[in-house]
């Protein structure tokens, strides 16, 4: 039934853009995601966020409350943002150019003091190869010597409250990051100076600990998606689903399951599916679609709720027979009205591309 559907969008509406958070280890990806989730929850509204398998959905109203004056919800018709929860996931190294990438947009987190590191460069190379638009979060600004934290304020407001010595130290670090981006072939600037985000990369100074600059990050992500991705988001969220496998996991009572980010169409509890596997496409039937139980119910023995249908964009655990050899980073497709052979061919073609790009590395 419709009331049981986990929705990324209404039929005929625009789907939620999928946001990936990438960057070098310890630069603050997990903290940034936790802060966005935490402040969404503390906005206090029931259903402010929806926890998915492998992802967190933040609806537009909540984005707008977190971003304060920087986001006017009436300027947007996208439903919000879906953040992928597993930062720096190995599936990103198998991101494909065909059939839609895992993420529509990315945040590359860089520690302002530590600057560019090997995994920063690796992330940029993946984003360049897949043509994924991104912003750079210059994180940990609160560690600038002499910094006077102003929790949750937009960057320019907190910047004005700092001493000259603090701002000049921060500026030095920020210009180093802008210079490193330029060395990697990206023309970049502080985000408020960027006119055209298709040509220039915006740098957002922020702190995942004090939340300074988080309003700016949300505003930039929302603005970028709305301006450049609206057409891409106009998908039929009730059509046969397409997604990417994030992880393959054994779950008690279900056997091998796949955690999936669905970026197109829908998946239903009785659908036939084709999943990319180590030895080629796996053709099977959904046994159950699983969502995590809300935290309050964590002591209940069952960790998952079964749902009847999920619509893009969403994270979902799919239980089905034969998934032992499914592969992280591989495609998953629903066979519904269309020709099964055509779907298998598509999955095979995508698998071939994954193998090629893995060998290139
Ligand atoms: P990840 O490996 O990229 O996910 O990095 P984590 O989120 O685990 O962060 C690594 C360390 O940096 C942790 O000790 C965090 O508390 C700390 N950290 C992350 N963001 C900030 C920040 O904005 N300011 C400060 N002072 N510390 C931070």
């Amino acid at each position: 039934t419709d009331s049981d559907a986990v929705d990324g969008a209404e039929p005929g509406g625009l789907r939620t853009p999928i946001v990936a958070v990438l960057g070098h280890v310890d630069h603050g990806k997990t903290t940034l995601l936790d802060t966005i989730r935490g402040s969404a929850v503390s906005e206090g509204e029931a259903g402010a966020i929806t926890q998915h398998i492998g992802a967190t959905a933040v609806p537009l109203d909540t984005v707008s409350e977190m971003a304060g004056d920087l986001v006017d919800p009436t300027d947007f018709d996208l439903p919000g943002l879906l953040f992928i929860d597993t930062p720096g996931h190995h599936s990103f190294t198998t991101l494909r150019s065909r059939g839609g990438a895992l993420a529509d947009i990315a945040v590359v987190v860089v520690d302002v003091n530590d600057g560019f590191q090997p995994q920063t460069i690796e992330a940029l190379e993946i984003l360049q190869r897949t043509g994924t638009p991104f912003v750079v979060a210059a994180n940990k600004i609160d560690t600038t010597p002499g910094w006077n934290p102003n929790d949750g304020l937009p960057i320019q407001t907190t910047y004005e409250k700092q001493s000259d010595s603090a701002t000049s130290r921060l500026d030095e670090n920020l210009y180093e990051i802008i210079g490193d981006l330029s060395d990697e072939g990206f023309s970049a600037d502080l985000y408020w100076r960027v006119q055209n985000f298709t040509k220039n990369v915006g740098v957002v100074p922020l702190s995942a600990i004090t939340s300074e600059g988080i309003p700016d990050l949300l505003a930039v992500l929302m603005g970028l998606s709305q301006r450049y991705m609206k057409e891409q988001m106009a998908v039929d969220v009730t059509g046969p689903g397409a997604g990417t496998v994030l992880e393959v996991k054994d779950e008690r009572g279900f056997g091998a399951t796949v955690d999936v980010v669905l970026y197109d169409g829908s998946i239903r509890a009785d659908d036939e599916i084709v999943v990319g596997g180590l030895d080629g496409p796996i053709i099977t039937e959904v046994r159950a679609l699983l969502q995590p139980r809300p935290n309050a119910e964590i002591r209940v023995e069952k960790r998952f709720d079964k749902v009847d249908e999920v619509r893009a964009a969403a994270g979902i655990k799919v239980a089905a027979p034969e998934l032992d050899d499914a592969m992280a980073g591989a495609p998953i497709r629903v066979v519904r009205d269309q020709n099964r052979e055509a779907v298998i061919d598509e999955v095979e073609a995508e698998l071939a591309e994954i193998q090629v790009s893995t060998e290139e590395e």
Side-chain angles (χ1 to χ4, degrees):
T1 62
D2 244 9
S3 61
D4 284 343
V6 174
D7 280 317
E10 295 303 317
L14 299 167
R15 80 156 166 84
T16 318
I18 301 166
V19 186
V21 179
L22 309 176
H24 195 74
V25 64
D26 283 347
H27 281 197
K29 300 176 292 292
T30 311
T31 310
L32 178 63
L33 280 163
D34 284 348
T35 299
I36 290 172
R37 269 193 298 258
S39 45
V41 169
S42 67
E43 286 302 328
E45 291 173 46
I49 61 162
T50 322
Q51 199 70 43
H52 293 203
I53 291 284
T56 303
V58 186
L60 175 60
D61 282 349
T62 308
V63 170
S64 156
E65 279 186 39
M66 288 160 67
D69 292 342
L70 298 183
V71 171
D72 176 352
T74 61
D75 290 342
F76 299 96
D77 43 14
L78 291 172
L81 299 166
L82 184 79
F83 288 90
I84 296 183
D85 282 347
T86 36
H89 204 280
H90 54 85
S91 300
F92 291 108
T93 55
T94 54
L95 266 168
R96 308 153 334 270
S97 53
R98 190 192 174 99
L102 177 51
D104 300 300
I105 186 167
V107 179
V108 177
V109 179
V110 183
D111 179 329
V112 275
N113 301 300
D114 210 17
F116 268 41
Q117 295 298 330
Q119 286 166 277
T120 318
I121 294 166
E122 186 192 69
L124 293 174
E125 282 167 358
I126 293 166
L127 296 170
Q128 190 159 44
R129 190 170 74 217
T130 55
T132 310
F134 65 95
V135 295
V136 169
N139 189 31
K140 308 197 189 183
I141 60 167
D142 60 293
T143 61
T144 306
W147 191 261
N148 165 30
N150 295 284
D151 288 11
L153 285 190
I155 184 63
Q156 279 161 299
T157 320
T158 183
Y159 200 88
E160 280 162 15
K161 297 176 190 281
Q162 306 300 325
S163 66
D164 288 346
S165 73
T167 55
S168 62
R169 275 170 191 260
L170 176 58
D171 286 347
E172 252 175 60
N173 286 338
L174 292 172
Y175 284 111
E176 196 155 320
I177 290 173
I178 290 169
D180 285 344
L181 279 161
S182 157
D183 292 344
E184 293 300 312
F186 297 100
S187 152
D189 208 339
L190 296 169
Y191 87 88
W192 57 88
R193 298 200 188 126
V194 172
Q195 303 279 345
N196 182 343
F197 281 90
T198 59
K199 294 211 174 91
N200 297 301
V201 173
V203 175
V204 185
L206 56 81
S207 164
I209 296 281
T210 67
S211 297
E212 290 160 284
I214 300 266
D216 309 69
L217 178 68
L218 293 168
V220 172
L221 290 173
M222 227 32 238
L224 254 175
S225 313
Q226 177 78 18
R227 183 111 166 66
Y228 301 108
M229 261 164 269
K230 231 178 116 170
E231 278 173 28
Q232 225 173 298
M233 296 302 112
V235 299
D236 174 9
V237 294
T238 59
T244 302
V245 175
L246 281 182
E247 274 185 81
V248 185
K249 276 190 205 159
D250 270 319
E251 297 290 353
R252 201 140 52 107
F254 294 103
T257 66
V258 286
D259 291 357
V260 167
V261 171
L262 192 73
Y263 58 75
D264 195 0
S266 74
I267 181 165
R268 297 179 192 149
D270 60 354
D271 271 329
E272 182 178 16
I273 52 173
V274 181
V275 184
L278 298 170
D279 301 318
I282 300 161
I283 301 132
T284 182
E285 251 171 56
V286 176
R287 185 184 288 156
L289 298 177
L290 304 169
Q291 281 294 347
R293 293 209 144 209
N295 284 340
E297 299 171 39
I298 206 83
R299 274 171 299 160
V300 179
E301 191 149 309
K302 284 186 348 198
R303 288 167 56 213
F304 302 110
D305 283 326
K306 287 188 186 178
V307 294
D308 291 343
E309 183 182 18
V310 178
R311 293 175 186 157
I316 186 76
K317 182 184 284 294
V318 181
E322 317 290 339
L323 289 179
D324 301 85
D325 289 337
M327 217 167 65
I332 172 167
R333 293 276 184 286
V334 168
V335 182
R336 210 174 285 153
D337 320 313
Q338 73 283 51
N339 183 331
R340 178 197 289 149
E341 290 307 316
V343 177
I344 295 170
D345 287 349
E346 263 178 53
V347 169
E348 232 158 28
E350 275 194 43
L351 281 174
E353 281 193 17
I354 292 172
Q355 256 109 44
V356 169
S357 65
T358 313
E359 277 158 22
E360 275 168 6
E361 268 155 31

